[in-house]
Amino acid sequence: MMIRGHTGVVKPNFSIMLLEMPTLKCHKFKFGTTSTFQASPNHEKRGSLITKLQYSRGDRKTVSKSLHSTITSKPYSSKVSRKEGSASSLYSRPSLVEMKNVRQENRAKVYEFLRGIGIVPDELDGLELPVTVDVMKERVDFLLKLGLAIEDINNYPLVLGCSVKKNMVPVLDYLGKLGVRKSTFTEFLRRYPQVLHSSVVVDLGPVVKYLQGMDIKPSDIPRVLERYPEVLGFKLEGTMSTSVAYLVGIGVARREIGGVLTKYPEILGMRVARVIKPFVEYLESLGIPRLAVARLIEKRPHILGFGLEKKVKPNIQLLLEFNVREAYLSSIVAQYAEIIGMDLETKLPSQRNLLKSIIELDNDNFGTIIEKMPQVVSLSSSAVNSHVDFLKSCGFSLQQVKNMVIGCPQLLALNLDIMKHSFQFFQKEMGRPLDDLVAFPAFFTYGLESTIKPRHRKVVHKGITCSLSWLLNCSDEKFAERMTYDTIDMEEMETAPSFDMSSLTQPRYDESDSDYEEDGEEET
């Protein structure tokens, strides 16, 4: 830069500085008593600065900003001064520290709101939460409308990290489309609130497809999910696949798996090594063949949920203490598997006292009755009383009734109307003495039209005199063979009905009924 001329300089020793700035095009400057150099308008816009050079006649001091420092700085940069609020700033934004402080303030307000309605937010630290109280209130209100209580939210406070629009609504809509009843949503979320964190496409859809691949009917899927919502959180190649594979391996028919899982989907969450395998092996140790165990699981899959150490083994020990013989344990479980999952510590003394008070049953024979009909532990006092009263009305003494119950405990659970029809036929058509019924009380367990009447007519036609046991306690094929006899085998007359374990291991030809059963309760 060269200064071509000047005027008004008083002192002769004023020196002129020559600045060479090749990047800046200079214009002429005018000097007065106090001279001012001004940059071109273009530079004023680009640098947002006006460079002034002011000189004093007396001391020659420069009181302006350095032209050199202005030009060598970055032309497009601007430093924001929050304290001065410079008008030259293009924009301003909060610092990271300020943003953090704002978030902390908002979270504190959200926590204050939650504590105010009874929710403990301690577990929410580190979880991304709504930035305003209004959004958090929306989430809480939505959960409360679903039927959840503040206590339920406190049991799983992480549910407050779910967005109503992005998480809750899509998941609940999907469950509703599957057929899960809205009336069950409350209990569903209480048991498995984590479902609200799930992705319909990534998490829920594949599990539903897997269940359908296990031959669970589409119409049964909603009931399965309602009964066991936790299944939606399982890995497809984890516990679910191994438990099913093990059941098939011990003999559960592959076509029965759908029905088994529909009745008791909790199997999908059971570990083979810890739960299923030890249970199966224990039943085998009682004398139940493995294939028979498989049949029991097909019919009553919920028995796998009986705690082996806490319930099953203690119940078996209690049966022995109540005079049940060890050799009969297998048939007891095979006949009535529910007995190993009951509260026998209460039921056994109660039922023994009931029978003692009604028919004067002694303790030793109580074990015999359980061996023949383990369902006796579930009979109500009214059922026992009504059946005993009927037998007494037929003319049997209390001692005879006692003997009949010991011989055939099923008398305490049969349909009374059917018993009345059978007794009328016995009394009027067969004309036998009551002692025949005392000797063979199982007479009442046979069908009147299907078995008793036709066989009685054949015996009368042939002119054979026989006991009720010889007449009834055999298959149709065996009875037809007996009709060819000239004499009656006395040993066959002594045979008493008993449970046949092989009946469980026979091949099944009936189609699996996988229709949903609410509880699968046993009949008495």
Side-chain angles (χ1 to χ4, degrees), residues 214 216 247 252-253 255-267 294 296-302 304 508 512-514:
M214 289 290 102
I216 297 178
L247 292 179
V252 174
R255 64 191 181 93
E256 298 291 332
I257 288 295
V260 168
L261 297 180
T262 299
K263 294 174 184 176
Y264 196 65
E266 288 87 345
I267 289 175
L296 286 177
I297 294 174
E298 289 176 1
K299 295 178 180 179
R300 291 285 187 267
H302 61 273
L304 290 172
R508 296 181 61 185
S512 173
D513 180 13
S514 63

Side-chain angles (χ1 to χ4, degrees), residues 1-3 19 21 24-29 37-38 40 43 67:
M1 175 187 301
M2 296 182 66
I3 300 177
L19 301 176
M21 303 296 292
L24 179 63
K25 184 178 180 181
C26 252
H27 294 264
K28 293 183 179 180
F29 299 95
F37 291 88
Q38 293 184 343
S40 68
H43 290 288
L67 182 62

Side-chain angles (χ1 to χ4, degrees), residues 389-398 400-401 423 427 434 438:
D389 289 343
F390 165 73
L391 293 175
K392 288 180 178 179
S393 69
C394 293
F396 298 104
S397 67
L398 182 60
Q400 286 176 321
V401 172
F423 182 73
Q427 197 173 38
L434 292 179
V438 175

Side-chain angles (χ1 to χ4, degrees), residues 13-56:
N13 60 349
F14 177 76
S15 62
I16 299 175
M17 296 178 64
L18 301 180
L19 301 176
E20 292 185 2
M21 303 296 292
T23 59
L24 179 63
K25 184 178 180 181
C26 252
H27 294 264
K28 293 183 179 180
F29 299 95
K30 296 181 179 180
F31 289 86
T33 305
T34 302
S35 300
T36 301
F37 291 88
Q38 293 184 343
S40 68
N42 291 336
H43 290 288
E44 179 179 355
K45 292 180 181 179
R46 293 179 60 185
S48 299
L49 294 172
I50 298 177
T51 305
K52 297 180 180 180
L53 296 178
Q54 294 181 346
Y55 295 90
S56 171

Side-chain angles (χ1 to χ4, degrees), residues 44 118 143 236 297 403 524:
E44 179 179 355
L143 293 172
L236 303 184
I297 294 174
N403 292 337
T524 57

Side-chain angles (χ1 to χ4, degrees), residues 24 37 46 49 126 168 184 240 300 321 387 423 437 442 465 507:
L24 179 63
F37 291 88
R46 293 179 60 185
L49 294 172
M168 300 183 190
T184 67
M240 290 198 294
R300 291 285 187 267
E321 293 174 5
H387 286 79
F423 182 73
L437 287 177
T465 301

Side-chain angles (χ1 to χ4, degrees), residues 242-351:
T242 55
S243 59
V244 170
Y246 180 81
L247 292 179
V248 173
I250 66 171
V252 174
R254 183 63 184 80
R255 64 191 181 93
E256 298 291 332
I257 288 295
V260 168
L261 297 180
T262 299
K263 294 174 184 176
Y264 196 65
E266 288 87 345
I267 289 175
L268 293 170
M270 293 180 175
R271 294 187 178 276
V272 171
R274 295 181 182 178
V275 180
I276 303 179
K277 188 172 183 287
F279 183 88
V280 171
E281 291 177 347
Y282 181 74
L283 294 189
E284 286 184 286
S285 71
L286 296 179
I288 305 177
R290 174 165 290 201
L291 189 56
V293 175
R295 295 292 176 266
L296 286 177
I297 294 174
E298 289 176 1
K299 295 178 180 179
R300 291 285 187 267
H302 61 273
I303 64 175
L304 290 172
F306 299 156
L308 180 60
E309 299 298 331
K310 293 184 178 180
K311 184 64 67 175
V312 177
K313 290 183 178 180
N315 278 350
I316 293 296
Q317 184 59 39
L318 281 170
L319 290 172
L320 294 174
E321 293 174 5
F322 276 78
N323 300 311
V324 171
R325 290 168 289 183
E326 187 173 356
Y328 285 84
L329 291 174
S330 59
S331 65
I332 289 173
V333 176
Q335 289 180 75
Y336 190 50
E338 284 77 6
I339 197 172
I340 59 177
M342 292 180 173
D343 180 17
L344 292 188
E345 191 172 0
T346 300
K347 283 185 172 293
L348 289 177
S350 174
Q351 293 303 90

